[in-house]
Amino acid sequence: MWNKLLIGDAKLSLASRLPQEVFSDPQWEDLLQRWRRGAYRANFFRDLVLAEAQRWPSKPVILDIGCGRGFDGERGLQASLAEAASQYLGVEPDASIRPSRCFAKVFPCRLEDAPLAPGSIDVAFAVFVLEHLARPQAFFEALFTALRPGGVFWGFTIDRRHPFAIVSLAAEWLGLKSWLLRRLGDAESYRGPGHYPVYYRANTPAAIRRLATRFRSIRTATLHQEGQFDAYLPSRVRPLSRLFDRICYRIGVQGPMLVARLEK
């Protein structure tokens, strides 16, 4: 299994050391080693948030943005975060979804409309939400206001520069995406009426830096791992997808998974 990690625009080999300012304690290196071994995406991202929560001297207030369908579709992972929080709050604008019972409160609206007290959140995160933001500036302004000084946001999304995002956006523009998702009905990505439009307006390191200028620390990483899109495809198509992954890696195409850590 091969992979590649990008920090900003600088490529790091497998033997390279991660800059201290991204995630300075040994937990990051442990997590990175797991990614190199082909770690399951949802667990990997959850553990980044969990490690962040455990850095606080007391249990933090955690905000799950876009919480309704679980952490990357896994509701059990939300329960583990709730255990690490003094309060586990959620934001879910889709009224048709019933969130997990592990939340202290769920606001049925977009983040920018949620009645969160300024400076009330210690750790916030969003899993595959940024690509759906029609007004990303409003999102980042609301996020900055809700976080307390020193508060941290983790964002996990698709990098717009990767061919997957380009194809997804083209299918959206052409009105073909719903048809394609119905054709791939066994894929995790098809969730019936819960399909949401994509815009990819906050989905490159440069876009995040432009939108999050008020944050004192902005760090991004792009992860590349073979088979990363297996969850979106029927089993018969996955060998071709993995071949495409290998070709992209060898010719230096941008990795598909964009991770951002913002600190207020």
Side-chain angles (χ1 to χ4, degrees):
M1 181 69 69
W2 49 259
N3 56 68
K4 180 165 55 180
L5 175 69
L6 305 181
I7 304 299
D9 296 320
K11 296 183 180 180
L12 300 182
S13 70
L14 298 184
S16 298
R17 298 179 61 186
L18 198 70
Q20 290 295 308
E21 64 267 28
V22 176
F23 207 69
S24 59
D25 60 72
Q27 288 175 306
W28 172 265
E29 184 58 32
D30 292 340
L31 290 165
L32 183 55
Q33 290 295 335
R34 285 175 51 200
W35 183 267
R36 292 168 179 166
R37 293 192 297 267
Y40 178 52
R41 183 181 76 187
N43 288 344
F44 180 81
F45 291 158
R46 185 281 309 268
D47 288 350
L48 289 177
V49 177
L50 187 59
E52 190 72 63
Q54 292 169 345
R55 291 158 65 91
W56 288 76
S58 58
K59 286 188 174 183
V61 178
I62 299 179
L63 178 65
D64 184 339
I65 303 168
C67 66
R69 298 186 184 277
F71 192 107
D72 198 13
E74 300 283 352
R75 290 182 180 246
L77 297 182
Q78 289 178 321
S80 64
L81 291 170
E83 292 176 0
S86 61
Q87 271 194 303
Y88 190 45
L89 307 176
V91 170
E92 178 50 65
D94 189 338
S96 68
I97 300 174
R98 179 174 295 179
S100 169
R101 298 175 63 183
C102 67
F103 289 94
K105 185 174 180 60
V106 175
F107 300 99
C109 59
R110 299 172 301 177
L111 174 64
E112 50 267 40
D113 299 322
L116 295 165
S120 61
I121 304 299
D122 299 311
V123 178
F125 66 89
V127 185
F128 299 106
V129 169
L130 298 184
E131 65 270 26
H132 300 292
L133 299 179
R135 298 188 303 122
Q137 190 64 66
F139 176 93
F140 282 92
E141 288 295 328
L143 177 64
F144 185 86
T145 299
L147 287 172
R148 71 174 69 251
V152 170
F153 168 75
W154 281 93
F156 310 103
T157 188
I158 301 295
D159 195 306
R160 181 180 176 139
R161 299 169 293 178
H162 190 269
F164 178 89
I166 297 170
V167 171
S168 175
L169 196 54
E172 192 83 50
W173 287 341
L174 294 172
L176 298 175
K177 193 164 188 180
S178 294
W179 179 83
L180 288 170
L181 291 175
R182 284 195 297 271
R183 295 285 293 178
L184 303 178
D186 60 335
E188 288 181 14
S189 56
Y190 178 60
R191 292 164 176 161
H195 164 60
Y196 312 113
V198 292
Y199 303 97
Y200 293 102
R201 294 172 180 168
N203 287 73
T204 65
I208 289 173
R209 287 194 294 269
R210 184 177 65 253
L211 292 162
T213 55
R214 297 180 67 190
F215 287 83
R216 69 169 183 160
S217 173
I218 302 171
R219 297 289 181 264
T220 62
T222 300
L223 302 172
H224 200 164
Q225 186 184 87
E226 183 179 340
Q228 193 60 68
F229 293 107
D230 284 358
Y232 295 88
L233 300 168
S235 57
R236 65 183 181 277
V237 180
R238 291 172 188 171
L240 290 176
S241 174
R242 286 174 174 257
L243 174 61
F244 179 72
D245 284 339
R246 289 194 292 271
I247 293 171
C248 287
Y249 176 80
R250 288 171 182 169
I251 66 176
V253 172
Q254 190 70 37
M257 296 298 159
L258 177 61
V259 177
R261 182 184 184 272
L262 311 179
E263 184 173 340
K264 180 173 176 178

